[in-house]
Amino acid sequence: MLSSERFGPGRTSGLVVLGLGLALLAGCQARPLYGTTGAQEQSVAVSPATSRVQRIVRNELVLGFGGEQTAAKYQLDLKVTAYTSGLLPGGVDNEFSAARTTVTANYVLKDASTSETIKSGSRFADAQLDLPSQSFAQTRARQEAEDRAAHSVAALVRADVAAALAQ
């Protein structure tokens, strides 16, 4: 009564197919590309930061690589710059009321033991901002735009490093 009346012949074969599919998927594994898996085969250490924006990019990369690495196999040398320029003149004195912040990251990924360059490149990201008339508000707007662009640049650099290490 259990198998013939409740499941029927069509459902029984469906359950068999589902069971086989789950058995095949059990062999698939998801493992981190880099980070702390016990072995240090693809760990990445990031160079120290020298500015606020570079510290944001560095922190994002360190978190993306699985934390601070002491005995890493790879070293990522990072230089980050930020630049804000006015875009749209407006107001009585033709002052800029809107701006764009560009954060650029130049990086070199090296093998830590041989200092051989594995990948080098440059990535940038823009963030738009409004510049209000108040000085403090302008400072905060610039910092927030730098933060947004820095997070975007870190994601781009992390993707580049992941692609280089996957080869």
Side-chain angles (χ1 to χ4, degrees), residues 56-141:
I56 293 169
V57 174
R58 182 189 186 280
N59 288 346
E60 285 289 315
L61 290 171
V62 167
L63 289 174
F65 294 145
E68 197 70 48
Q69 305 291 329
T70 55
K73 182 170 181 185
Y74 301 101
Q75 173 67 36
L76 183 68
D77 294 327
L78 187 65
K79 303 254 188 280
V80 178
T81 59
Y83 177 75
T84 301
S85 61
L87 291 177
L88 302 173
V92 178
D93 295 331
N94 211 22
E95 298 172 350
F96 289 103
S97 61
R100 172 183 290 149
T101 295
T102 302
V103 173
T104 304
N106 297 308
Y107 65 92
V108 178
L109 179 66
K110 296 179 182 179
D111 187 307
S113 60
T114 64
S115 295
E116 176 187 347
T117 299
I118 297 168
K119 175 140 180 84
S120 64
S122 179
R123 291 296 195 158
F124 73 93
D126 292 329
Q128 283 71 35
L129 66 143
D130 289 327
L131 293 175
S133 60
Q134 298 171 343
S135 176
F136 179 76
Q138 286 183 3
T139 301
R140 287 300 307 155

Side-chain angles (χ1 to χ4, degrees), residues 10-85:
R11 286 197 172 168
T12 304
S13 63
L15 289 174
V16 170
V17 170
L18 178 65
L20 287 174
L22 289 175
L24 289 174
L25 286 177
C28 296
Q29 295 181 6
R31 60 185 177 104
L33 179 62
Y34 39 69
T36 56
T37 60
Q40 296 288 343
E41 68 269 1
Q42 293 193 345
S43 59
V44 179
V46 183
S47 63
T50 58
S51 68
R52 188 186 72 79
V53 177
Q54 185 170 354
R55 189 170 49 249
I56 293 169
V57 174
R58 182 189 186 280
N59 288 346
E60 285 289 315
L61 290 171
V62 167
L63 289 174
F65 294 145
E68 197 70 48
Q69 305 291 329
T70 55
K73 182 170 181 185
Y74 301 101
Q75 173 67 36
L76 183 68
D77 294 327
L78 187 65
K79 303 254 188 280
V80 178
T81 59
Y83 177 75
T84 301
S85 61

